[in-house]
């Protein structure tokens, strides 16, 4: 069971603990109990009580103290200054799963900075599933850069603007990875789907367990307007924040998965999940209004012909 999964008996305990707390502060009482009014309060209380602890799930791997776990493990921050950035990685490896993380990106003039949040395996034929947030001048939008590597081959970039300010508050960035597809989502809205197209010779990440990584680093040689805008170090340190990590996933340990081999035995809807018509419509809305680059539309980049998956998208 993933470390972020909560046993049923613990959920029951949290429920009564939350009820007791709300009663103590006279927000509710048994005599005035109205479930429909109470439900939002209880959900908020349970979410706070069951929040993941970054100390249990992640290691800060570089940055000489610029990465910090604070608020009793509920928040992780990464910082970047002229000397160094910082980064962390998950303690667990995963082979399929639904991964959620809330991020609040570097505010203000973030030009030249990149906040990367991704899954990756190791080796020369690695697999990788990328979110990268490319900073920009104050008032200009962040660019959300996505990519998928399979067996060491990437070059599958899609880029988006976001429909909100990602620096003003936390937003949820999710990767759903199952044997059928990889779906990138923002606050529950799908922005990209990379389907398993092995049937036409396109490798798909399915055999290599991956860790979760994140880093904040300087990339002013390319990140903002192709490197024309450089990082303003007078504004350092730059800081990105993380909270509410959740992994409903198959943990890989000692050469074996915590999930069974068949979808029916995993008891996890995500293992066979596909987008319904409503999600498909949201995906089309995002790609019509907020996509700013799609490798499948870049014929100049592929003079020998577009990659085969582009014919299926």
């Amino acid at each position: 069971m993933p470390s972020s999964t909560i046993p049923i008996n613990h959920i029951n305990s949290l429920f009564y603990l939350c009820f007791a707390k709300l009663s103590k502060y006279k927000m509710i009482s048994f005599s005035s109990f109205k479930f429909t009014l109470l439900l939002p309060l209880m959900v908020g209380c349970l979410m706070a009580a069951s929040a993941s602890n970054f100390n249990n799930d992640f290691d800060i791997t570089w940055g000489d103290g610029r990465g910090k776990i604070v608020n009793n493990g509920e928040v992780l921050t990464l910082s970047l200054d002229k000397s160094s950035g910082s980064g962390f990685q998950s303690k667990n490896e995963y082979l399929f799963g639904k991964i959620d993380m809330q991020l609040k990106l570097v505010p203000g003039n973030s030009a030249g900075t990149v906040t990367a949040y991704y899954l990756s395996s190791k080796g020369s034929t690695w697999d990788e599933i990328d979110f990268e947030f490319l900073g920009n001048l104050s008032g200009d939008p962040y660019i959300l850069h996505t990519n998928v590597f399979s067996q060491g081959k990437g070059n599958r970039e899609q880029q988006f603007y976001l429909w909100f300010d990602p620096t003003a508050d936390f937003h949820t960035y999710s990767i759903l990875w199952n044997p059928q597809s990889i779906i990138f989502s923002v606050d529950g809205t799908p922005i990209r789907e990379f389907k398993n197209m092995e049937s036409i010779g396109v490798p798909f990440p399915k055999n290599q367990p991956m860790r979760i990584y994140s880093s904040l680093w300087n990339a002013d040689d390319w990140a903002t307007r192709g490197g024309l805008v450089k990082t303003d170090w007078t504004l350092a340190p730059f800081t990105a924040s993380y909270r509410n990590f959740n992994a409903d996933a198959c943990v890989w340990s000692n050469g074996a998965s915590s999930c069974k081999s068949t979808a029916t035995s995993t008891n996890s809807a995500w293992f066979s999940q596909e987008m319904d018509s409503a999600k498909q419509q949201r995906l089309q809305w995002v790609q019509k209004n907020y996509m700013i680059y799609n490798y499948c539309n870049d014929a100049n980049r592929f003079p020998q012909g577009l990659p085969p998956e582009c014919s299926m998208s």
Side-chain angles (χ1 to χ4, degrees), residues 158-219:
Q158 290 183 359
Q159 295 183 338
F160 306 83
Y161 288 142
L162 294 165
W163 49 96
F164 53 83
D165 178 358
T167 73
D169 203 350
F170 286 90
H171 292 269
T172 304
Y173 302 91
S174 305
I175 295 169
L176 172 63
W177 170 35
N178 64 30
Q180 294 79 44
S181 67
I182 296 164
I183 300 173
F184 298 76
S185 298
V186 178
D187 289 339
T189 294
I191 64 169
R192 177 178 186 177
E193 181 179 29
F194 183 80
K195 293 181 179 180
N196 184 335
M197 288 176 278
E198 291 177 302
S199 61
I200 60 170
V202 180
F204 185 81
K206 68 173 188 178
N207 296 316
Q208 300 185 57
M210 297 194 266
R211 293 189 192 275
I212 301 163
Y213 296 88
S214 190
S215 58
L216 174 57
W217 51 291
N218 178 46

Side-chain angles (χ1 to χ4, degrees), residues 15-16 19-20 23-24 27-34 38:
F15 183 93
Y16 289 110
F19 193 99
S23 300
K24 177 181 178 181
M27 298 177 73
I28 60 169
S29 66
F30 285 96
S31 60
S32 65
F33 180 81
K34 300 289 185 183
L38 172 62

